[in-house]
Amino acid sequence: MNRPRFGYLRVHVMLRREGWAINKKRVWRLYRLDGLQLRMKTKRRKRISLQRGHVPPATGPNQHWSMDFVHDQMLDGRKFRILAVIDQWSRECVSLEPGFRLTGRCVGHALDQAAIARGMPRAITVDNGTEFTSKALDEWAYRRGVKLDYTRPGKPTDNGLIESFNGRLRDEFLNTHEFVTMQDVRERLKAWKDDYNTERPHGSLGHLTPSEFAQRRSGQPPKSRPSLTQN
């Protein structure tokens, strides 16, 4: 047979075109007797992650960010999510954006806001969630010249830095607070983010805070540290 990837239905059509008066059932029987059954492949969405190779570690600020979602709920049971973004080099928390519904467009807006003070990253590591694979975020990345580095499905270790950060966010913040309103979440998150960047020493950074690490490596004078104390 010169068309081994044709299924029996297509073979039946070809035979009928050539003048064979044969029905589909007979074609199917002959098809099976000759061992021509095709093993159908599961249709998969194309992902950049399927071609993901080794990603070298970041050696400077804004080379590579990581982002992911963390889930929690209000005191009244309403569920919300937090978009967490970090810089892989300095481990600084770039953005913590909460919301009841965070679409790909919302993610792009949050990244634009973070880039006002820091500049755009060259690449961002993300998983294959619908918000990160959406057309809105794909267009955002194209227009900003940012590469979206997708992890391999089922391989959270490909984005291990943000997974580790999410664990700290869960343990040190979400598990110790109860929230009534979204404004309450935003204010508490901002205070925790400032404390994480400027007060909390990081073991993998030689027990420097992320801000201290970034300032020392870049030769900038140290910035004043905001207090975590709530008024």
Side-chain angles (χ1 to χ4, degrees):
M1 186 176 181
N2 60 356
R3 300 184 186 273
R5 297 305 300 171
F6 275 15
Y8 84 96
L9 290 176
R10 194 178 299 272
V11 171
H12 175 254
V13 172
M14 297 290 290
L15 291 173
R16 297 282 293 187
R17 286 181 179 178
E18 294 177 7
W20 289 74
I22 187 171
N23 60 36
K24 288 188 291 185
K25 290 183 179 180
R26 187 175 181 185
V27 172
W28 169 240
R29 287 196 300 269
L30 295 172
Y31 191 82
R32 293 191 62 185
L33 285 173
D34 287 342
L36 298 176
Q37 299 97 313
L38 286 178
R39 187 174 181 178
M40 301 304 294
K41 295 182 179 179
T42 303
K43 186 177 181 180
R44 297 180 179 178
R45 293 181 63 185
K46 293 182 179 179
R47 304 280 197 211
I48 297 177
S49 60
L50 297 178
Q51 290 80 39
R52 188 181 199 273
H54 175 70
V55 179
T59 58
N62 291 340
Q63 286 184 2
H64 218 126
W65 291 0
S66 288
M67 65 179 175
D68 195 10
F69 285 108
V70 182
H71 299 255
D72 205 69
Q73 63 180 21
M74 298 286 190
L75 192 59
D76 59 8
R78 290 179 296 165
K79 296 180 180 180
F80 67 93
R81 297 192 296 173
I82 300 171
L83 174 68
V85 188
I86 65 169
D87 187 302
Q88 293 186 10
W89 175 69
S90 66
R91 309 297 201 272
E92 288 178 286
C93 178
V94 175
S95 178
L96 288 173
E97 180 66 28
F100 293 113
R101 182 173 177 269
L102 293 173
T103 63
R105 193 174 301 278
C106 295
V107 171
H109 178 72
L111 294 172
D112 280 336
Q113 293 300 308
I116 292 176
R118 302 180 59 92
M120 285 290 172
R122 298 179 187 175
I124 306 176
T125 300
V126 296
D127 60 26
N128 291 269
T130 54
E131 297 83 5
F132 299 147
T133 58
S134 66
K135 291 183 179 179
L137 190 61
D138 183 67
E139 181 181 358
W140 176 91
Y142 175 77
R143 292 183 179 277
R144 304 299 189 276
V146 176
K147 176 187 175 183
L148 295 178
D149 174 31
Y150 290 96
T151 62
R152 294 168 294 176
K155 297 288 185 180
T157 52
D158 285 347
N159 207 3
L161 293 178
I162 195 67
E163 295 290 338
S164 177
F165 175 83
N166 289 347
R168 296 188 180 97
L169 177 63
R170 171 72 61 191
D171 182 58
E172 301 175 11
F173 178 73
L174 295 176
N175 289 347
T176 61
H177 292 82
E178 292 182 337
F179 310 104
V180 179
T181 65
M182 187 55 66
Q183 183 60 30
D184 182 33
V185 177
R186 291 183 186 278
E187 292 176 356
R188 291 174 182 264
L189 269 178
K190 183 180 183 305
W192 186 86
K193 172 176 172 285
D194 291 340
D195 181 76
Y196 179 88
N197 284 338
T198 62
E199 296 287 344
R200 186 186 184 284
H202 203 294
S204 65
L205 301 177
H207 299 291
L208 297 174
T209 68
S211 293
E212 287 173 340
F213 177 84
Q215 290 157 12
R216 290 191 184 186
R217 290 297 184 93
S218 61
Q220 297 177 356
K223 298 178 182 178
S224 59
R225 296 180 176 179
S227 174
L228 186 62
T229 305
Q230 298 281 339
N231 294 329

